């Protein structure tokens, strides 16, 4: 009943047992304007290929889960105006109705796990929104990290969120939050949030081993690898904080699924495009790290004493 369609290159990689990195599509349809969204998606796929893995951009097209998009499908999706934003709650309904939609971090994790893909690279995960004590707005991405066995590489959580509360919820849910190569938790457009990361790892092989250990322990869920934006591309905290404060003010009254896309679009305007340039740089950086982790996983899973 559940049909998943694999792109030509992903099908080939699966047959060969080669490393694959999943990519989400909400960042394409709801996170960036056209045509930069398409250029970003193509560039990120190429980064993964150049790093020795196969990219699998995940989306729902006409009611079918696609694991990897053919070039023409990616071009079409990037221009689709009415694409739905699909999270855990929406996925089955969208499939049942034959809809076309982009998958969030949560929905991409669900699809990746079903396809046997262990690593997923994106920009930033959803989290606890500022004012959540009144709005109750907490992204389903957090619960998904506790349920689906996928290692997600992101540049921390978007600085539009309440980062201390986001880290608290992740801890409650038992999600390992691992900063890569530094002790602080990164804040998307900036390398440091000012908060310490709960865990730190400096070695890709350790990250892969921790992923396999979690499974060996019988624990559900994945891990969040927080990879700081490259120094040359970061926006200083003081600068981005000003735009965030303004955007939050301008978007007062926006609710539910609309919140993240509207805030990102407003920050893009306020920054004269600088937020998008940084966003693209950090996604590419995460894609390259994701490819390295996927490669390490493939070589370690071949050693039976760990994978078990
Ligand atoms: N990161 C970006 N742009 C985005 C998102 C993340 O740079 O558009 C998307 C992701 O798909 C993430 C979603 O899963 O926003 C979170 O939305 P919500 O807070 O409604 O769960
Ligand atoms: Mn939300």
């Amino acid at each position: 009943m559940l049909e998943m369609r694999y792109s030509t290159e992903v099908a080939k990689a699966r047959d060969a047992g080669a490393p694959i990195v999943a990519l989400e599509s909400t960042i394409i349809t709801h996170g960036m304007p056209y045509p930069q969204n398409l250029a970003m998606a193509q560039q990120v796929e190429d980064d993964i290929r150049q790093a020795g893995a196969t990219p699998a951009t995940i989306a729902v097209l006409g009611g079918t889960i696609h694991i990897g998009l053919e070039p023409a499908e990616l071009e079409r999706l990037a221009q689709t105006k009415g694409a739905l934003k699909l999270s855990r709650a929406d996925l089955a309904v969208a499939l049942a109705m034959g809809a076309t939609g982009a998958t969030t971090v949560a929905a991409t994790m669900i699809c990746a796990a079903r396809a046997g893909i262990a690593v997923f690279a994106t920009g930033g995960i959803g989290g606890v929104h500022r004012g959540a004590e009144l709005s109750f707005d907490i992204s389903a991405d957090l619960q998904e990290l506790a349920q689906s066995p996928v290692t997600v590489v992101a540049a921390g959580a978007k600085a539009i969120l309440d980062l201390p509360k986001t880290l608290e919820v992740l801890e409650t849910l038992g999600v390992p939050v691992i900063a890569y190569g530094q002790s602080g938790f990164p804040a998307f457009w900036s390398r440091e949030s000012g908060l310490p990361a709960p865990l730190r790892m400096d070695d890709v092989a350790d990250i892969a081993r921790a992923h396999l250990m979690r499974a060996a322990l019988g624990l559900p869920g994945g891990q969040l690898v927080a990879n700081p934006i490259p120094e040359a591309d970061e926006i200083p905290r003081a600068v981005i904080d000003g735009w965030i404060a303004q955007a939050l003010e301008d978007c007062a009254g926006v609710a539910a699924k609309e919140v993240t896309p509207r805030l990102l679009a407003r920050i893009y305007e306020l920054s004269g495009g600088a937020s998008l340039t940084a966003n693209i740089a950090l996604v590419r950086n995460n894609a390259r790290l994701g490819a390295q982790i996927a490669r390490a996983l493939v070589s370690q899973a071949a050693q039976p004493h760990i994978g078990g």
Side-chain angles (χ1 to χ4, degrees):
M1 181 178 174
L2 178 65
E3 188 200 338
M4 297 208 293
R5 228 218 52 200
Y6 294 91
S7 66
T8 316
E9 73 174 323
V10 172
K12 210 183 284 173
R14 275 166 57 87
D15 288 347
I20 301 173
V21 178
L23 296 163
E24 61 153 312
S25 43
T26 295
I27 189 171
I28 300 171
T29 56
H30 292 71
M32 294 182 186
Y34 179 82
Q36 291 98 324
N37 61 347
L38 176 60
M40 179 279 304
Q42 292 167 334
Q43 184 67 255
V44 166
E45 288 197 347
D46 265 341
D47 290 329
I48 290 171
R49 291 185 194 104
Q50 270 169 40
T54 298
T57 300
I58 294 179
V60 174
L61 305 182
T64 300
I65 293 174
H66 283 57
I67 309 290
L69 300 181
E70 304 297 345
E73 292 171 335
L74 186 61
E75 279 173 38
R76 217 172 312 125
L77 184 69
Q79 297 173 70
T80 302
K81 287 267 181 292
L84 301 171
K85 176 179 165 185
L86 306 176
S87 192
R88 168 177 272 261
D90 321 287
L91 192 55
V93 169
L95 298 178
M97 296 183 69
T100 289
T103 50
T104 62
V105 168
T108 303
M109 288 180 75
I110 293 169
C111 298
R114 283 202 77 92
I117 301 173
V119 181
F120 161 26
T122 184
I125 61 160
V128 181
H129 280 271
R130 300 189 193 183
E133 61 273 28
L134 296 175
S135 68
F136 280 44
D137 190 346
I138 302 175
S139 175
D141 293 352
L142 301 184
Q143 291 213 46
E144 204 56 52
L145 281 159
Q147 293 184 61
S148 286
V150 178
T151 286
V152 178
V153 184
K158 273 164 282 180
I160 54 175
L161 301 167
D162 186 322
L163 297 183
K165 287 197 185 78
T166 299
L167 287 176
E168 286 297 343
V169 170
L170 286 166
E171 173 171 297
T172 301
L173 293 171
V175 176
V177 177
I178 303 160
Y180 179 64
Q182 68 177 31
S183 301
F185 184 63
F188 202 67
W189 295 286
S190 320
R191 286 174 67 81
E192 292 286 352
S193 63
L195 302 166
L199 300 162
R200 168 183 179 156
M201 283 180 159
D202 295 348
D203 185 347
V204 164
D206 289 341
I207 296 172
R209 205 164 14 256
H211 178 103
L212 295 172
M213 281 300 175
R214 198 171 165 95
L217 283 167
L219 295 174
Q223 10 183 48
L224 176 61
V225 176
N227 186 29
I229 184 172
E231 229 167 295
D233 302 302
E234 85 167 323
I235 300 176
R237 281 281 297 289
V239 175
I240 194 79
D241 281 353
W243 293 329
I244 291 169
Q246 183 65 47
L248 285 165
E249 219 180 290
D250 297 346
C251 296
V254 177
K257 279 173 181 290
E258 282 291 302
V259 176
T260 300
R262 288 280 296 276
L263 283 172
L264 289 174
R266 189 67 189 120
I267 292 169
Y268 169 73
E269 290 170 5
L270 291 166
S271 69
S275 66
L276 181 59
T277 308
N279 198 342
I280 292 170
L282 65 85
V283 180
R284 296 186 61 188
N285 190 47
N286 295 341
R288 288 185 290 261
L289 180 58
Q292 289 177 43
I293 297 170
R295 291 177 59 175
L297 260 177
V298 165
S299 58
Q300 289 179 21
Q303 302 163 23
H305 63 281
I306 307 176

